[in-house]
Amino acid sequence: MPELSHRRRMLVLAICCMSLLIVSLDNTVLNVALPSMQQDLHASTSGLQWTIDAYTLVLASLLMLAGSTADRIGRKRVFMAGLVVFTVGSVLCSLAPNLEALVVFRMVQAVGGSMLNPVAMSIITNTFTDPRERARAIGAWGAVVGISMAAGPLVGGLLVESVGWRSIFWINLPVGLAALLLTLRFVPESRAPRARRPDPVGQVLVIALFGSLTYAIIEAPSTAFASLAPLVVLALAALTALLWYEPRRAEPLIDLRFFRSAPFSGATVIAISAFAALGGFLFLSTLYLQNVRGLTALEAGLWMLPMAVPTFVCAPLSGRLVGARGPRLPLVIAGLAMTVSAVLFAAFEAETSNVTLFIGYVLFGVGFGFVNAPITNTAVSGMPRAQAGVAAAVASTSRQLGQTLGVAVVGAVLASGVGASTYREAFVSAARPGWWVLVACGFAVLALGAVTSGQWARGTAERAAAALESADVRDAVATADRS
């Protein structure tokens, strides 16, 4: 890709951030609308989980395929296709006649979404080649998540109150169309120097693993274990097959050599933990504020601002810290803040007091604001630029998998605890085990952030990158000899 002027690079960053905005906004807006959707569509707790997890599950399953495909046939081309599919999926969601149709249309949305975030991150990585400038660009990218968290509950609350829950999907239309036209005009095409071949077997195994695991977790509270046992066996078989099959391919869907880098492996687990905490946090908070406290969608959105504003403020600060001092400090701050926030809810029932509820939301917002930039920067900065799309896709997959598991696990724990009681009667006690799950997630961010960001870890990243580049050179020579 040719070197771009500073102004053009900033424009490319803004366009890529627009795609992140509609994908992130979709999740935060949807959470506020859950109680209205539950009433209108007569949905159970597991039904609400599926409106979120059907999207994140498909997204997680296809992100690596989208990243490698974009590296192969062109990032701009795949990015534009994703914008079209996501926008069409949003229209279909707004027209869904029942819960089953909504879940299916959310999956259509996710197919488009899988072509957006990892591909946009790959475009950013190849546009901003200076490490410090790239870290700041990724910090700005992370700030968009804060914008979506700040605007999503308010916009969603206003739309749900005034028009109805279907209108939450309309906001994707103008942003998606504007991003599509701007991409066509201003984003240059780029691709990896050497195309990677598709890996259909690996893709099927990933879908089998994620799908069976998520279904088993969500349905566990209402289904006998004997009925779920085949799904557990399928998940284990798919995982075993992936670990056996992928290293034997010259160009696998998941290049397990990436995980020889301690920072990359750490970033993957940190992403799963942080976004599991986010998914569970939003799910519990939204249901509590509206179904237990009896707040309207708009009032619940206003209550989410103490979490959203710190995320927006801290994300660019985190990017600057990563560029100046590395990822350790932002990750430690993130893990500590998220852990303390979850402990307030798990041990002290923070939701029962306005003061502790406010403090818990602020702390979680600070933690989540600091965690995004070091995850992304660590995942892509140690890898060869030719593998940027795949590396970014693994990081994005980890995020979506984490959010999927967070909603699945916390929702299952909540459904099991509530049982036949009403939300108002049993919610606080039923949610406590879920909050302890989030405590564990926050502590994982803290511990792994400290361990995988030191000198030893950087050494493993350098050796992994060198091995990947050497293997790519050997493969390229072998391909040239055969031709």
Side-chain angles (χ1 to χ4, degrees):
M1 189 167 69
E3 186 69 25
L4 304 178
S5 66
H6 177 74
R7 183 176 179 181
R8 183 74 174 273
R9 291 198 300 273
M10 291 298 105
L11 183 57
V12 170
L13 174 62
I15 295 169
C16 290
C17 285
M18 290 175 72
S19 73
L20 177 63
L21 178 64
I22 57 175
V23 173
S24 300
L25 200 63
D26 203 64
N27 277 333
T28 54
V29 169
L30 182 68
N31 271 279
V32 174
L34 285 178
S36 296
M37 293 165 58
Q38 184 178 32
Q39 183 176 3
D40 189 33
L41 300 177
H42 309 290
S44 62
T45 299
S46 63
L48 294 181
Q49 288 172 270
W50 277 118
T51 62
I52 299 173
D53 275 356
Y55 177 85
T56 55
L57 179 60
V58 173
L59 206 59
S61 300
L62 298 181
L63 281 169
M64 285 178 285
L65 174 63
S68 59
T69 301
D71 282 347
R72 183 172 63 253
I73 69 173
R75 295 167 182 131
K76 176 179 178 178
R77 181 181 302 176
V78 172
F79 186 67
M80 291 178 64
L83 288 169
V84 171
V85 175
F86 187 86
T87 304
V88 171
S90 298
V91 174
L92 293 174
C93 286
S94 71
L95 301 174
N98 51 50
L99 180 66
E100 292 76 15
L102 178 61
V103 170
V104 171
F105 295 151
R106 287 281 288 166
M107 295 170 75
V108 174
Q109 258 193 318
V111 173
S114 70
M115 301 182 230
L116 295 180
N117 286 1
V119 180
M121 180 50 60
S122 183
I123 292 172
I124 291 173
T125 302
N126 283 270
T127 300
F128 295 88
T129 55
D130 177 74
R132 292 196 173 206
E133 192 179 32
R134 181 173 58 209
R136 289 178 183 142
I138 292 173
W141 166 271
V144 174
V145 177
I147 294 173
S148 71
M149 290 181 68
L154 288 177
V155 173
L158 283 170
L159 289 173
V160 171
E161 290 284 305
S162 59
V163 184
W165 65 264
R166 296 177 186 278
S167 62
I168 65 175
F169 297 103
W170 299 346
I171 57 179
N172 297 329
L173 306 186
V175 180
L177 290 174
L180 180 64
L181 294 175
L182 290 171
T183 301
L184 182 65
R185 175 68 178 84
F186 294 108
V187 175
E189 184 61 280
S190 65
R191 53 177 57 87
R194 189 173 61 85
R196 294 169 60 85
R197 290 178 294 176
D199 180 10
V201 175
Q203 184 62 62
V204 170
L205 290 174
V206 166
I207 293 173
L209 172 60
F210 291 173
S212 57
L213 181 62
T214 303
Y215 190 93
I217 293 172
I218 289 178
E219 299 300 330
S222 58
T223 307
F225 177 76
S227 300
L228 296 177
L231 293 172
V232 176
V233 172
L234 177 59
L236 292 173
L239 176 61
T240 303
L242 269 174
L243 295 176
W244 177 86
Y245 177 76
E246 291 297 281
R248 287 164 172 77
R249 277 187 59 87
E251 294 177 340
L253 178 71
I254 307 173
D255 196 330
L256 299 182
R257 294 173 297 178
F258 283 4
F259 294 95
R260 297 175 186 173
S261 163
F264 183 88
S265 299
T268 301
V269 180
I270 288 169
I272 292 173
S273 301
F275 277 77
L278 174 67
F281 195 98
L282 291 176
F283 191 80
L284 289 176
S285 296
T286 301
L287 292 178
Y288 171 76
L289 291 172
Q290 296 189 54
N291 287 353
V292 179
R293 286 204 169 191
L295 302 182
T296 65
L298 179 57
E299 290 169 338
L302 289 171
W303 255 111
M304 302 296 280
L305 280 178
M307 177 181 66
V309 172
T311 299
F312 172 66
V313 172
C314 294
L317 176 59
S318 176
R320 291 184 177 274
L321 278 175
V322 171
R325 300 186 57 179
R328 173 172 284 184
L329 181 59
L331 287 174
V332 169
I333 293 173
L336 187 61
M338 294 172 78
T339 302
V340 174
S341 171
V343 167
L344 282 176
F345 289 92
F348 301 102
E349 298 184 352
E351 62 265 55
T352 59
S353 164
N354 285 344
V355 174
T356 52
L357 183 64
F358 179 85
I359 294 172
Y361 281 3
V362 169
L363 285 173
F364 191 88
V366 169
F368 193 74
F370 272 99
V371 83
N372 236 333
I375 289 173
T376 306
N377 190 72
T378 303
V380 301
S381 62
M383 297 296 118
R385 286 179 62 190
Q387 304 258 20
V390 179
V394 173
S396 295
T397 298
S398 302
R399 289 181 172 90
Q400 299 304 327
L401 177 60
Q403 192 161 353
T404 301
L405 293 177
V407 173
V409 172
V410 171
V413 168
L414 178 65
S416 178
V418 170
S421 305
T422 64
Y423 271 77
R424 191 180 295 273
E425 294 172 346
F427 186 94
V428 173
S429 59
R432 188 174 300 167
W435 289 115
W436 280 115
V437 171
L438 304 194
V439 171
C441 292
F443 184 76
V445 173
L446 174 62
L448 289 171
V451 171
T452 62
S453 58
Q455 186 174 355
W456 163 79
R458 287 193 295 272
T460 65
E462 291 169 0
R463 290 191 293 273
L468 283 166
E469 288 179 333
S470 298
D472 285 345
V473 170
R474 288 195 303 270
D475 291 344
V477 171
T479 301
D481 290 342
R482 287 195 299 269
S483 60

